[in-house]
Amino acid sequence: MDLNLSPEDIAFRHEVRAWLRANLPADITDTARRLWHIDPASMQRLQRILHARGWGAPSWPREYGGTGWTAVQRYIFDEEYCMADGPLPLMGGQGIPMVGPVIYTYGTPEQKARILPRILSGEDYWAQGFSEPGSGSDLASLRTRADRDGDGWVINGQKIWTSLAHHSNMIYMLARTDQTVKPQRGISFFVLPLDTPGITVRPIISIDRAHSLNETFFDNVRVPADALVGEPGMGWTYAKFLLGHERFSIAEIARTKRRLQRLRQIAAEIPLPGGGTLAEDARFRDRVAGLEIEMVTVERMGLRVAWEMDQGEDNMLSASILKLKGTHLLQAVLEETIEAMGMAGLAYDPRPDGAQVSPPAPDIAQGKMEQFLFLRAATIYGGSSETQKNILSKLIWAGA
């Protein structure tokens, strides 16, 4: 396994870096530096810009409007995008990274023609309906059900933690369609508009006092037969396929590398009482060195996962390790950043109306407390750290 970049990959990096720095809108990158949550209109505008360049769907095959890039190229693009202060792609909904691959892999030709172009153009904003009260990491225990009714389905139940559902017009979800088989075999995958009668979205205010999460209720929601993706009872398989993509992105390797770079910049600006800056403090440098070592480890692991994807290998083991290590590292970097800023790190001014307003604090402090608070959940969503350890133990004992 050769994890060194080829001359072609290095040339690709220079091409991506030059284009992103010339074309990412300054107002969007400035907001992404200062705030964690980006307004939907800005994300849709950014998606149109990337789509016009042909880079709107880095992970999709070319035949469906994607780039056709290798996993290593996607890794390089993500790194350069984060270094250029591009906002988190998931703030643009879950169409490109999550539901799109399920549709082009398992959907019908009609579903592909109807759904994929609207994802690429940014017209549709997608939310995910997987977790339920009491069925978070244990998705197999979900209780939302879809019952056949004539030529359609009737859905009843509740979902929770539906990120950005209040901004979304579409949702992909799991529902139980067969009560008689073992839990994993009775789940199906559906896509439907969020304005379908019977759907209610209610806000959940998270620890950062912002509104990005929701609970979603389905009360006799009638959907047509083509709301079902793939085969009935195969939703668990499709969800595992999707979550494999999610664990790679949730690790946030490139974004954490950018955060670590910001931490070093912050330390160079923090004066010490006796003179000098925090960057010159031996104990601080010790801690940052430890984080940098972890960063190199996670980076190499990310490249390994990308290499395995390009080789067509089953990389569930590597992806779970990456999610586990990556999310713990991003939390450690954010915690060190808040501590480094001292009193400035306490500055946070969330607005209930979601207004994009920076708190009254130095530039170096903008958005850091917001990220620190919100990303306490990083070791929970997409499969908690405990769940990843269970997956790893089963795969290792099975000889993966």
Side-chain angles (χ1 to χ4, degrees), residues 109-281:
E110 293 77 14
Q111 287 171 332
K112 294 174 188 178
R114 183 179 78 249
I115 296 172
L116 297 180
R118 293 179 61 86
I119 294 177
L120 285 169
S121 66
E123 293 174 81
D124 285 341
Y125 215 87
W126 287 79
Q128 181 189 91
F130 279 14
S131 295
E132 298 182 6
S135 300
S137 294
D138 181 20
L139 279 178
S141 66
L142 65 84
R143 289 175 292 178
T144 294
R145 58 188 293 164
D147 297 304
R148 193 76 196 202
D149 183 46
D151 60 353
W153 300 85
V154 177
I155 301 174
N156 284 281
Q158 178 188 357
K159 297 295 180 179
I160 200 166
W161 316 124
T162 38
S163 301
L164 303 173
H166 56 304
H167 293 316
S168 302
N169 65 318
M170 298 291 293
I171 186 169
Y172 63 95
M173 62 178 295
L174 297 176
R176 190 167 300 284
T177 52
D178 191 339
Q179 314 295 320
T180 65
V181 296
K182 73 175 188 177
Q184 290 88 343
R185 294 294 301 168
I187 296 171
S188 298
F189 194 104
F190 292 88
V191 294
L192 55 148
L194 268 168
D195 63 0
T196 304
I199 298 179
T200 303
V201 176
R202 296 178 184 169
I204 295 175
I205 306 304
S206 49
I207 193 173
D208 60 340
R209 293 185 288 161
H211 177 200
S212 64
L213 305 172
N214 303 273
E215 53 183 345
T216 307
F217 299 87
F218 300 83
D219 183 15
N220 289 322
V221 176
R222 294 182 177 273
V223 298
D226 67 356
L228 174 73
V229 175
E231 298 294 325
M234 292 297 291
W236 180 256
T237 297
Y238 305 157
K240 288 196 297 182
F241 169 82
L242 182 150
L243 290 171
H245 286 258
E246 188 178 31
R247 285 175 189 135
F248 188 78
S249 60
I250 285 175
E252 292 194 28
I253 305 168
R255 203 162 295 275
T256 297
K257 187 175 181 179
R258 179 60 164 157
R259 292 184 184 115
L260 193 52
Q261 186 182 80
R262 291 284 189 200
L263 172 58
R264 290 192 292 267
Q265 293 171 349
I266 287 167
E269 297 183 32
I270 301 292
L272 294 176
T277 65
L278 182 60
E280 300 169 285
D281 180 80

